[in-house]
Amino acid sequence: MSVIDDVKQRLDIVQLVSEYTELQKSGRNYKASCPFHSEKTPSFFVFPERQSWHCFGACGTGGDIFSFVMKKEGIDFGQALQLLANKAGITLVPLTTPERQTQNKERERLFEINEAAAEYYHHLLLNTSKGEIARDYVAKRELSAEIIKNFQLGFAPEGWDTLKQYLKGKGYGETELLAAGLLVEREDRNNYDRFRNRLIFPIRNIQGKLIGFGGRALDDSLPKYLNSPQTPVFDKSSSLYGIDHAKTAIQQKNQAVIVEGYMDTLAAHQYEYDNVVASMGTAMTDKQLTILKNLTSNLILALDADTAGEEAISRSGEMLDKMLPVPPSFYGWVRYEDAHNAEVKILILPQGKDPDELIREDASQWQKLIMDAKPMVDFIFESATAKVDLASARDKSSTVGRLLPLLFEMNDPLRQAHYLERLARLLKVDEHVLDDALKKFRAVERKRKATKNTKAFTPVVPTITSSSPQEQYCLALLLKYPELKAASSVLSPDHFENTENRELFVKWQQSDDMASLKNSIDSVLQEHLESLLAKDLPPILKESETARCEDMNQCISRLQERRLRNLEAKKQELLTMEAETGGRTAQLAKLEEQGLEIDKQLQEIRIKQNHRRRPARGDG
Ligand SMILES: [Zn+2]
């Protein structure tokens, strides 16, 4: 038995969830207001017999005890395993090497040093005469005492060794202070305080650990903003300022707003817009997106009016490509939004204003901008058509050429129709003309695909036996044939019920290749990965791309079908139970409606399966 199974056997999901939210018995199951989004009628259910949970409301997702604590605590799989193993009274065999243990100790020491520095800076800001210059500054920027305290703002005074002397007095050595990035070493091996005459912003990670600092100059010194250097605990590209404070609000509001600077974040939080984090001046990175993706699929990017032109499209295009579990393709993100029920919006700031100024001027403006934030597609449409010369046929035609693939990617016919009409209006072109162009594009795409798929195909029967053979077969396919990644983008972690499989799938989605996948996983998963890689797959797959694609499609539709069936079973259970205990609630009616939706989706999958089977049989 794996340690994961062991943990699952010893812990009860009802008890675990009760530690976070109050559960109400409902027949054999339990319900509660969803701990991940705000709602009035409970749509969050715990199923003790299945040891699983599901939110039938806005989240539309579920899982086991692992996914629950990962989502609730905003932690990764390894950390969840540690936490749950502790609860279960299981001591994890130290899987880490002695070097790793030493590293962990060093990291803890750096956190401790950072905490000591932050406390000192905070004290200097609040209580000393030296700190007056910084107090004046925060007063001018209208930061409240509460925000200053909550975000532990501080002041690094003029002078070369104020912090160094203080921390040495506390028993920390210069080597450690250098490692923490608090001191800078000169060529002659002497060192001095990195932050001088600056307002200090301590930067914490999602677990609240103090990883580094930002400092704003209080005079004309350059750079205006200075950050901690890369250290064993600080990496600017994987940090989001304010994430420790914003985590809960992002989950509750099921939305994250991304701004650029420290002051923007603070102003927003001061006015209780507490789902705001800052990318700290850099363009969003993969690592930052991964942190946010664990909390919500709704992102709003606040962009300057001046940068939000053509340049921003390409910038956000790049950024969105990074969110995708498929290899970069500018338009692939529409597929991503479809598959993951995600939405990315763009908020354009008024010319020359940053969020900090804007919120302080009139906080309600911010709310309005959030409400007016445009879905990415609208934004791209408008920006792409803004400069088109409507008198030039060539201009129009090249714009249509750029935007058609985007329309083509939309799975939802309503969404497609909506944007088709939109584009027609923007370009002052007859809608039928665009519709024809789209049809032609579709035909060309189909032909392209068909010529790829002419070889005869023999259906392959997976032979792997294990607890969830379908999942494992699917994963083995994906791991051995990375080119199937694009085709698998319709799968979400929810399609995998087995904890190891799901976690491996998530990590695989986030990795570029096998090496980075191996690097990113715990040793528990490492073993699982090796066993999947060792699976024998049918030899025909090696030779035929068609066979691989077809196999992948079969896997996908089986997993989709199974997920829908399970969902339906859960709903039926809830409906029967509620009917027995009396009263139809509005919530119930909604469940029934969703039940119909499931039926429809199941039917669609079956039709697709039949379509695929027919030519195969004809060929054989
Ligand atoms: Zn929910």
Side-chain angles (χ1 to χ4, degrees), residues 34-37 39 43-44 55-60:
C34 180
F36 305 117
H37 82 272
E39 58 178 6
S43 55
F44 176 88
C55 168
F56 291 97
C59 307

Side-chain angles (χ1 to χ4, degrees), residues 154-169:
F155 170 60
E158 203 82 69
W160 298 95
D161 62 354
T162 319
L163 182 75
K164 179 164 108 179
Q165 292 313 334
Y166 170 79
L167 289 178
K168 277 175 82 175

Side-chain angles (χ1 to χ4, degrees), residues 359-420:
I359 293 171
R360 276 190 291 134
E361 228 174 62
D362 174 8
S364 67
Q365 284 187 80
W366 182 250
Q367 183 60 35
K368 194 171 172 307
L369 285 174
I370 296 277
M371 302 286 283
D372 291 346
K374 279 196 185 116
M376 181 64 85
V377 183
D378 293 61
F379 179 73
I380 293 178
F381 264 54
E382 279 166 34
S383 318
T385 52
K387 284 184 196 145
V388 173
D389 175 7
L390 289 177
S392 152
R394 220 175 67 190
D395 238 23
K396 280 190 190 181
S397 141
S398 79
T399 309
V400 171
R402 277 173 70 195
L403 296 178
L404 268 189
L406 195 78
L407 288 171
F408 174 73
E409 289 299 347
M410 293 177 187
N411 262 335
D412 178 358
L414 280 177
R415 195 175 175 207
Q416 197 178 53
H418 168 85
Y419 283 108
L420 196 79

Side-chain angles (χ1 to χ4, degrees), residues 520-568:
S520 71
I521 58 177
D522 267 69
S523 42
V524 178
L525 288 174
Q526 203 96 45
E527 244 171 70
H528 191 58
L529 173 65
E530 293 304 333
S531 78
L532 287 173
L533 287 172
K535 299 270 184 225
D536 281 326
L537 295 180
I540 184 175
L541 297 186
K542 218 182 244 168
E543 295 139 31
S544 156
E545 192 196 337
T546 320
R548 293 197 289 274
C549 288
E550 194 57 31
D551 235 22
M552 189 69 232
N553 285 334
Q554 276 194 11
C555 279
I556 290 172
S557 62
R558 280 191 196 146
L559 291 181
Q560 284 176 327
E561 188 179 354
R562 189 188 63 171
R563 175 167 174 268
L564 289 171
R565 283 190 187 289
N566 285 343
L567 210 56
E568 172 136 289

